[in-house]
């Protein structure tokens, strides 16, 4: 009988500790999530300014879909100068890389003929190999690169693939072409 009481006591203790831990986690989740979303929005705005520097503002273009909070889903952004003239577009694309999804923001000129740059927002590529898509050396190849030349050198383009990470390099190229095709279809 004594063993039964001890087991019950241990089980009750574990349940109480678990309940307290769950309550504390629930209390910290909401404020932390809100701060995280604010930080991600700031990072996105900085990335948009970096890849489309001639734009002074970014106007969201929304579709008919709404997110979980009832807000319209942003399809892409029109970059406008201080006079309100469209100088380019910024669009988010997701592309499968070697190890998982690569999420990037692509900058596109207003005539859809030039990649103005890109920023990787999230990825799970191999550190030291595919993760090098985030380096200035790799990303710098795409600044003001004509869309016609946005291919790996082995395919006749002007983009040097990362040694040992051809799949990741090709994924970036594919995402950028997808971005240009998407925005030009929407705007054209």
């Amino acid at each position: 009988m004594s063993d039964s009481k001890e087991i019950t006591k241990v089980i009750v203790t574990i349940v109480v500790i678990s309940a307290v831990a769950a309550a504390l986690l629930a209390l910290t989740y909401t404020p932390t999530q809100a701060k995280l979303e604010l930080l991600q929005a700031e990072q996105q705005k900085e990335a948009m300014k970096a890849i489309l520097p001639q734009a002074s503002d970014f106007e969201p273009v929304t579709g008919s879909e709404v997110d979980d909070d009832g807000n319209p889903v942003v399809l892409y952004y029109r970059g406008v100068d201080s006079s309100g003239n469209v100088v380019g577009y910024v669009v988010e694309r997701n592309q499968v890389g070697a190890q998982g999804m690569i999420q990037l923001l692509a900058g596109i000129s207003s005539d859809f003929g030039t990649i103005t740059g890109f920023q990787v927002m999230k990825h799970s590529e191999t550190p030291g190999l595919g993760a090098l898509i985030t380096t200035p050396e790799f990303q710098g190849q795409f600044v003001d690169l004509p869309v016609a030349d946005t291919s790996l050198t082995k395919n006749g383009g002007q983009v040097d693939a990362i040694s040992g990470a051809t799949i990741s390099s090709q994924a970036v190229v594919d995402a950028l072409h997808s971005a240009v095709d998407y925005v030009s279809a929407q705007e054209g």
Side-chain angles (χ1 to χ4, degrees), residues 2-146:
S2 174
D3 287 341
S4 175
K5 285 183 181 181
E6 286 296 317
I7 291 173
T8 304
K9 192 176 181 180
V10 169
I11 291 173
V12 169
T13 303
I14 290 173
V15 168
V16 169
I17 290 172
S18 298
V20 169
L24 291 173
L25 186 61
L27 287 172
T28 60
Y29 176 78
T30 302
T32 304
Q33 191 64 24
K35 287 183 181 181
L36 181 61
E37 288 173 6
L38 209 83
L39 178 62
Q40 288 172 337
E42 288 176 22
Q43 288 175 332
Q44 182 175 3
K45 193 167 218 168
E46 287 178 26
M48 289 192 305
K49 287 179 183 178
I51 61 176
L52 195 62
Q54 52 279 46
S56 60
D57 194 24
F58 297 91
E59 300 172 347
V61 176
T62 59
S64 59
E65 294 182 35
V66 293
D67 62 16
D68 295 337
D69 298 327
N71 300 317
V73 173
V74 175
L75 303 175
Y76 57 94
Y77 296 86
R78 281 189 195 104
V80 295
D81 63 15
S82 57
S83 302
N85 299 315
V86 176
V87 294
Y89 304 92
V90 174
V91 62
E92 181 181 307
R93 295 315 294 160
N94 294 315
Q95 185 71 37
V96 177
Q99 301 298 316
M101 199 61 70
I102 298 171
Q103 178 187 28
L104 60 81
L105 289 177
I108 305 162
S109 64
S110 59
D111 65 357
F112 311 109
T114 305
I115 302 295
T116 60
F118 80 93
Q119 284 275 325
V120 175
M121 302 306 286
K122 291 182 189 175
H123 74 88
S124 55
E125 299 303 280
T126 306
L129 289 174
L132 295 175
I133 60 174
T134 62
T135 63
E137 295 80 18
F138 182 72
Q139 291 182 0
Q141 297 180 88
F142 295 89
V143 176
D144 296 327
L145 181 66

